[in-house]
Amino acid sequence: MEHSSLSLLELNSLVRKSIRTCLPDTYWVQAELSDVRANYSGHCYLEFVQKDAKGNMLVAKARGIIWSNVYYPLKAYFERETGQAFVSGIKVLVKVSVDFHELYGYSLTVLDIDPTYTLGDMALRRKEILKRLDEEGVLTLNKELELPELTQRIAVISSATAAGYGDFCNQLEHNSFGFIFYPCLFPAVMQGDRVESSIIRALEKINTERELWDVVVIIRGGGATSDLSGFDTYELATNCAQFPLPIITGIGHERDDTVLDMIAHTRVKTPTAAAEFLIDHMRQTAERLEEYTQFFYQELPALFLRRKEQFEQWVSRIPVRVQMRLQHERFRQERLTKQLQMGWQTRLLKEEYRLQVDRRIAVALESILQRERHRLAMLEQQVKSSSPDLLLKKGYSITLKNGKAVTDASQLLPGDEVTTRVAKGEFKSKVI
């Protein structure tokens, strides 16, 4: 039985005509950018994705293109209005036309963009995870670890079949310096929904034997940004941030930047770059060891020789310096003896003068004391002559009213009772 058939090109041409017929207009589409690449020609190739609202699963994906005559003014306008770069991880509202090419397939051509649309879910989630880690005080813990001088024992977390893992091992094995490394693979899923759980399991296994390893390397290789979403989770980030060994990441191209990259000790762009980093670190260590070796074999003997010559010079100067020191001490002692003698003489003169002053002070004090005695005798005589008892004995009396002396007769009233005190006794009277 004969069937009519179409070539693939013919079929794709029908699809293109059908799409242009059914979708002739332009449409405003909400999507998240997951891969933005500016071509040398000036065109921008990108990928639009949509994720499940309840999780991190992709539910839609489409290729996009912005022609150079639109891309540069559109990018400048977007960045000027939003204050952020036109890069992967942001949610955008774009005006597109639907195209289908026989060779390149389905794509969206971007014609305009609404800059009021904010960050996409991917970038917002990264920002929230980093903020949470910072509030918990673990954001920079892994970065603060010191990289060992010798990083030969390497625990590698990667997929066993990943080309990036092979490139990493090949780069280490065939390094131009002849350094020997001991990488060991801890297999993990590096894309899809199992990225987080499988890497955490690998880290837990490494942690049980952490004394066997110097550093942990997590490598994956290239790919679209949408395939790196598994590296943007809180659980994976907090495990890596608090891991006791330095972590080096090489899980994407230079344009990709995941949460895991941000909290790791060192972030490089590719697995090969991770190997180059370790080789360079070993090279720096080897150079320092070479400098130490050169110091021990070349500079140290010269240093000993200089110190020996210096010591011999010091020994030869000892007799002269001792003689000079003895002469100096004799001069100093003679000077001190003279100063001591002069000091005693001066002190003796001062003491003699002080004794003379003391005698003059004693005579002056005796004269003052005599005058004060005479003054006191005179005062005593005055006090005795002014005594009330002496006046009473001479025949005087004191009249008292209510215990107070009466000095004015007008103060008394008829009937007042007064007391009269004489030298020997007292008597009471009544005023008439």
Side-chain angles (χ1 to χ4, degrees):
M1 182 177 181
E2 295 183 356
H3 299 280
S4 59
S5 61
L6 297 173
S7 68
L8 179 60
L9 176 61
E10 291 172 336
L11 178 61
N12 283 353
S13 297
L14 288 176
V15 172
R16 182 181 64 175
K17 293 177 182 178
S18 299
I19 288 178
R20 288 184 175 179
T21 301
C22 297
L23 301 172
D25 300 324
T26 57
Y27 306 90
W28 284 98
V29 178
Q30 298 177 6
E32 184 177 309
L33 302 181
S34 68
D35 194 12
V36 179
R37 288 172 291 174
N39 191 277
Y40 68 92
S41 61
H43 308 315
C44 179
Y45 298 94
L46 60 159
E47 185 178 62
F48 296 108
V49 297
Q50 181 178 344
K51 298 177 182 177
D52 184 359
K54 296 182 179 180
N56 205 33
M57 291 289 296
L58 293 180
V59 296
K61 182 190 294 188
R63 289 189 308 107
I65 186 171
I66 310 176
W67 302 116
S68 59
N69 64 325
V70 176
Y71 173 63
Y72 287 106
L74 182 144
K75 178 175 181 291
Y77 169 63
F78 177 82
E79 293 180 349
R80 183 177 65 253
E81 294 296 321
T82 63
Q84 67 180 31
F86 188 78
V87 293
S88 301
I90 60 174
K91 184 176 287 187
V92 294
L93 178 62
V94 291
K95 185 178 183 181
V96 301
S97 62
V98 182
D99 294 313
F100 187 88
H101 190 275
E102 289 85 347
L103 180 59
Y104 302 110
Y106 165 69
S107 66
L108 303 176
T109 300
V110 178
L111 305 174
D112 198 359
I113 190 168
D114 183 357
T116 61
Y117 216 69
T118 57
L119 287 172
D121 292 338
M122 184 182 296
L124 183 60
R125 183 173 63 254
R126 290 175 182 172
K127 184 178 180 180
E128 291 174 348
I129 291 174
L130 293 174
K131 181 180 179 182
R132 182 177 176 184
L133 293 174
D134 187 35
E135 291 173 349
E136 294 173 355
V138 301
L139 180 63
T140 61
L141 287 183
N142 199 262
K143 294 182 181 294
E144 295 170 4
L145 296 176
E146 291 188 9
L147 201 64
E149 291 291 338
L150 298 177
T151 52
Q152 295 175 287
R153 304 174 303 169
I154 307 168
V156 184
I157 299 179
S158 182
S159 171
T161 58
Y165 172 65
D167 295 339
F168 175 80
C169 293
N170 184 66
Q171 187 81 1
L172 290 180
E173 184 178 358
H174 298 93
N175 69 87
S176 58
F177 301 97
F179 299 139
I180 297 177
F181 295 91
Y182 305 97
C184 179
L185 177 65
F186 291 81
V189 177
M190 304 308 287
Q191 62 182 10
D193 299 335
R194 295 171 54 201
V195 170
E196 177 188 75
S197 59
S198 63
I199 293 181
I200 291 177
R201 282 196 300 271
L203 288 171
E204 291 173 348
K205 187 175 181 181
I206 296 171
N207 189 44
T208 60
E209 51 186 43
R210 58 182 177 273
E211 68 279 356
L212 301 178
W213 309 109
D214 301 317
V215 68
V216 176
V217 176
I218 302 177
I219 53 177
R220 172 187 177 272
T225 305
S226 58
D227 294 331
L228 301 176
S229 57
F231 298 94
D232 287 324
T233 67
Y234 169 77
E235 290 299 327
L236 179 59
T238 190
N239 273 271
C240 291
Q242 301 177 79
F243 200 73
L245 295 176
I247 294 178
I248 300 172
T249 59
I251 58 176
H253 298 301
E254 189 172 8
R255 65 181 182 273
D256 302 324
D257 197 10
T258 67
V259 172
L260 184 57
D261 290 321
M262 298 177 187
I263 58 91
H265 181 280
T266 302
R267 185 259 188 190
V268 294
K269 59 183 180 178
T270 62
T272 302
E276 292 173 351
F277 173 80
L278 292 171
I279 294 170
D280 185 67
H281 181 72
M282 284 290 292
R283 179 190 60 78
Q284 295 177 18
T285 301
E287 289 178 353
R288 285 194 295 274
L289 291 175
E290 183 65 27
E291 291 175 359
Y292 298 152
T293 302
Q294 184 178 4
F295 176 78
F296 282 120
Y297 283 98
Q298 297 182 11
E299 297 187 17
L300 198 58
L303 178 62
F304 284 152
L305 181 60
R306 290 195 299 271
R307 291 291 183 264
K308 180 181 178 182
E309 294 174 351
Q310 189 178 37
F311 180 73
E312 290 175 351
Q313 291 177 0
W314 289 346
V315 170
S316 64
R317 295 174 184 174
I318 288 176
V320 177
R321 291 191 173 273
V322 169
Q323 187 64 30
M324 292 175 62
R325 183 59 181 268
L326 289 174
Q327 186 68 24
H328 174 74
E329 290 299 323
R330 281 196 294 268
F331 290 153
R332 192 172 68 87
Q333 290 208 354
E334 291 176 0
R335 186 170 61 254
L336 290 175
T337 302
K338 291 180 180 179
Q339 291 176 355
L340 187 60
Q341 291 175 350
M342 294 178 63
W344 278 112
Q345 291 176 359
T346 303
R347 181 62 182 271
L348 183 59
L349 292 174
K350 288 182 179 179
E351 291 299 322
E352 289 177 350
Y353 176 75
R354 188 178 65 81
L355 290 175
Q356 294 176 2
V357 171
D358 289 346
R359 284 195 292 271
R360 290 196 297 271
I361 291 175
V363 172
L365 289 176
E366 183 62 29
S367 176
I368 293 171
L369 184 59
Q370 189 65 30
R371 287 197 302 270
E372 290 299 320
R373 285 174 184 167
H374 178 70
R375 190 175 66 83
L376 288 174
M378 295 297 293
L379 291 174
E380 183 181 5
Q381 184 64 31
Q382 292 175 7
V383 170
K384 287 180 179 181
S385 63
S386 301
S387 173
D389 292 336
L390 184 61
L391 294 175
L392 293 176
K393 288 178 181 180
K394 291 180 178 181
Y396 294 98
S397 64
I398 301 175
T399 300
L400 303 173
K401 178 185 177 181
N402 297 328
K404 296 183 179 180
V406 177
T407 59
D408 187 357
S410 64
Q411 296 177 352
L412 300 175
L413 299 175
D416 287 345
E417 189 176 288
V418 296
T419 302
T420 303
R421 185 178 297 172
V422 294
K424 293 181 179 181
E426 62 183 22
F427 57 88
K428 295 184 181 296
S429 306
K430 183 176 288 187
V431 179
I432 299 175

